[in-house]
Amino acid sequence: MSKCEQCIVRQFSSIKALTKDELIKVANCKTSYTIKKGQPIFEEGETLNGIFCIKDGVCKLSKLSSNGKDQIVKLVKPGELLGQRSMISEESANLSAIALEDMEVCFVPKNEILQFFNQNNDFSMNVMKTICGDLKESDDHMVDMAQKTVKQRLAEALLYLEQSFGTNIDGTIRIQLSREELAGMIGTATESCIRLLSDFNKNGYIDIIGKKILIKDKNTLKKIS
């Protein structure tokens, strides 16, 4: 069993506030498993009986809209926790979490986490700050959707993907979203997203290499966004 106190990703989440003894408790009760690309960690409406810590890989948090489109709300990186809000509000999951690549995930039961919540003030404050941060992001995202054009949102999304997930050796954005997923992230039809990417490519802002995207003119994309 891997030890939580030696896990490098714990420093990126609320778990960093847990004491050594608390981390040993987590290690003794957690379950670690692999999620294959395209598989759900959990789905919208599911009852979550604990929290998930992302050890490796990236997933998308998305919501199915009434027209059957997948609206991507957030991309989640290693070190982040999922399910904190559901655990506190005692409501079922509001979003689905689907793996965008093969992932390593640890699950910690609700009973254990709630104990730390009651005993460790720093931990509970960290959880609250994370939830507040998510709410702020959600507010910003909502304003972007209402006030920015699809072109502006695409430029912003491409910059965000490169900044947050880095690049491959060839300079292309490391996280590879399908055109449908990218469209779901900026809230537009897949055809519109493909057309805009083609425009960006023709204008020399980006290079499209197969399914991969390379940002060539960051300054112009910043101006557009």
Side-chain angles (χ1 to χ4, degrees):
M1 181 182 289
S2 63
K3 294 178 180 174
C4 293
E5 69 265 30
Q6 290 171 2
C7 180
I8 195 156
V9 301
R10 72 177 172 85
Q11 65 195 337
F12 301 121
S13 72
S14 314
I15 287 176
K16 67 175 177 276
L18 296 181
T19 65
K20 192 173 180 183
D21 286 349
E22 286 169 337
L23 286 168
I24 289 166
K25 276 187 191 171
V26 171
N28 289 335
C29 73
K30 76 177 168 69
T31 315
S32 301
Y33 49 100
T34 302
I35 310 267
K36 291 279 170 203
K37 181 180 178 174
Q39 283 185 334
I41 300 172
F42 55 80
E43 291 181 305
E44 196 178 328
E46 204 176 302
T47 302
L48 304 183
N49 295 311
I51 61 165
F52 298 86
C53 180
I54 309 302
K55 195 174 178 188
D56 194 29
V58 176
C59 71
K60 61 177 178 180
L61 286 177
S62 62
K63 197 166 181 66
L64 214 55
S65 60
S66 53
N67 63 2
K69 287 271 184 194
D70 205 24
Q71 174 70 54
I72 295 178
V73 175
K74 188 183 177 186
L75 299 181
V76 181
K77 304 194 288 279
E80 293 190 61
L81 300 181
L82 296 175
Q84 298 174 100
R85 195 171 69 192
S86 293
M87 179 187 69
I88 293 165
S89 66
E90 296 186 337
E91 292 172 346
S92 55
N94 188 40
L95 305 166
S96 296
I98 314 285
L100 288 173
E101 53 190 17
D102 290 355
M103 299 182 74
E104 295 291 328
V105 176
C106 294
F107 175 77
V108 186
K110 182 176 180 174
N111 300 352
E112 291 294 330
I113 289 291
L114 285 177
Q115 259 184 16
F116 306 144
F117 215 83
N118 294 328
Q119 295 161 3
N120 184 326
N121 205 22
D122 286 344
F123 173 70
S124 48
M125 278 304 289
N126 279 353
V127 170
M128 291 317 227
K129 280 178 186 169
T130 304
I131 292 171
C132 290
D134 284 347
L135 271 172
K136 181 184 179 296
E137 266 182 40
S138 175
D139 290 344
D140 292 345
H141 187 61
M142 195 167 64
V143 170
D144 274 1
M145 286 301 205
Q147 296 183 353
K148 289 192 173 184
T149 64
V150 179
K151 185 179 179 179
Q152 286 175 309
R153 298 201 299 265
L154 178 60
E156 190 173 40
L158 293 174
L159 292 168
Y160 160 78
L161 290 172
E162 187 186 82
Q163 188 185 344
S164 301
F165 301 98
T167 54
N168 297 307
I169 297 165
D170 61 1
T172 55
I173 296 169
R174 193 190 76 76
I175 189 79
Q176 207 176 308
L177 297 179
S178 69
R179 299 298 182 253
E180 199 172 0
E181 283 166 337
L182 192 52
M185 197 174 157
I186 61 173
T188 191
T190 308
E191 303 74 41
S192 304
C193 181
I194 291 168
R195 199 163 50 245
L196 271 174
L197 282 171
S198 175
D199 288 348
F200 280 11
N201 187 31
K202 275 182 205 146
N203 290 324
Y205 312 150
I206 62 169
D207 223 344
I208 296 172
I209 305 159
K211 288 184 179 177
K212 298 193 286 187
I213 295 171
L214 177 126
I215 293 179
K216 285 169 75 181
D217 188 349
K218 210 174 284 186
N219 288 336
T220 302
L221 284 186
K222 278 178 186 166
K223 280 175 197 162
I224 291 169
S225 74

